[in-house]
Amino acid sequence: MARAPADGHTALLALSSLSVLPEAEHIQGRTPAYTVDQFAPIARITADPTLLVVPAGAPWQSLEEFVADARGRPGAITYGSAGNYSTLHVAMAMLTGAAGLDLLHVPFQGGGPALTALLSGTLDALASGPGPVLPHLREGRLRALACWGAQRIPGFETVPTFIERGFPEVEFYIWTGLFVPAATPEPVQARLRGALRAACEGPQLRRALEAAGSPVAYQEGRRSPASSPPTMRG
């Protein structure tokens, strides 16, 4: 995608891991396959606050109980992710750093296998977007302890934010956004942006995303200075 013709006929619908993976490659001493400044952001479509979920049979009824137990048993509580430096890993790393926790990270090849392991009792905890865990929460198979949003998530009003519970720096979203090659002419970007805005304002897409537990959170993209990566307004 980064090397595609900048003619507006090739676009990328990406998750927030788009901005994480190049930095992870740098940490590992490797040259990343792409850098974020190779892309121009059209718009963000969704931005889901991540949820901390545990099996319904877990002993923790609240975030406070989870944190207290983790502090008392360093390295004993496991959590899964979609792989090293994935968005699910980054979210949990934010929490462990802020709360001073030593949890055992178990990376999987994707969020689906990690969720399966949590449901089977192989894992103790998982950070996840609301959509994948929503049916399991409704069925009583999982319990949500807290969320990474600035406010409580609609439909999860009883689940507190980490900010509420004394961790003001623990805020994280799994977003989806549309990108094109950086050299794409601005009139082409504007046309794509207008079409995407219209789709996000329409009832059909809104109903579909709300049913999936990932409501529209449209935000137009803007170009940053050449020395900075593309960003979203807000």
Side-chain angles (χ1 to χ4, degrees):
M1 169 60 196
R3 296 185 293 272
D7 55 10
H9 291 285
T10 304
L12 175 68
L13 183 63
L15 290 168
S16 42
S17 52
L18 175 81
S19 60
V20 175
L21 295 177
E23 300 306 317
E25 291 294 283
H26 283 304
I27 290 173
Q28 297 297 317
R30 298 189 291 259
T31 300
Y34 67 87
T35 57
V36 291
D37 59 5
Q38 291 179 270
F39 303 99
I42 298 301
R44 187 188 71 186
I45 301 171
T46 63
D48 300 328
T50 316
L51 282 167
L52 174 62
V53 292
V54 299
W60 316 291
Q61 300 296 320
S62 67
L63 174 63
E64 288 77 8
E65 291 180 2
F66 179 86
V67 170
D69 190 17
R71 287 173 174 167
R73 297 189 298 140
I77 297 175
T78 61
Y79 75 91
S81 78
N84 287 322
Y85 304 108
S86 66
T87 51
L88 306 187
H89 182 199
V90 171
M92 287 298 292
M94 291 177 67
L95 171 61
T96 57
L101 306 181
D102 179 10
L103 305 180
L104 178 60
H105 176 217
V106 183
F108 287 80
Q109 294 295 318
L115 177 57
T116 299
L118 182 72
L119 291 167
S120 69
T122 305
L123 288 176
D124 296 317
L126 179 70
S128 173
V133 298
L134 179 58
H136 306 293
L137 291 167
R138 287 173 174 168
E139 294 168 5
R141 301 179 66 190
L142 296 178
R143 177 185 304 126
L145 300 183
C147 82
W148 273 261
Q151 293 88 33
R152 296 192 182 196
I153 304 172
F156 298 89
E157 286 81 3
T158 61
V159 181
T161 68
F162 287 106
I163 295 172
E164 289 178 58
R165 292 299 188 255
F167 302 105
E169 65 273 41
V170 180
E171 183 179 355
F172 188 85
Y173 304 85
I174 299 176
W175 51 256
T176 56
L178 188 69
F179 295 81
V180 293
T184 303
E186 183 55 39
V188 175
Q189 293 188 40
R191 184 176 179 183
L192 290 171
R193 192 169 292 118
L196 183 58
R197 184 189 312 113
C200 288
E201 291 173 351
Q204 186 174 3
L205 181 59
R206 285 185 172 274
R207 283 195 301 266
L209 290 177
E210 287 171 4
S214 184
V216 170
Y218 181 83
Q219 185 183 70
E220 293 193 352
R222 63 178 175 84
R223 294 307 310 274
S224 298
S227 60
S228 303
T231 61
M232 298 294 181
R233 289 192 181 96

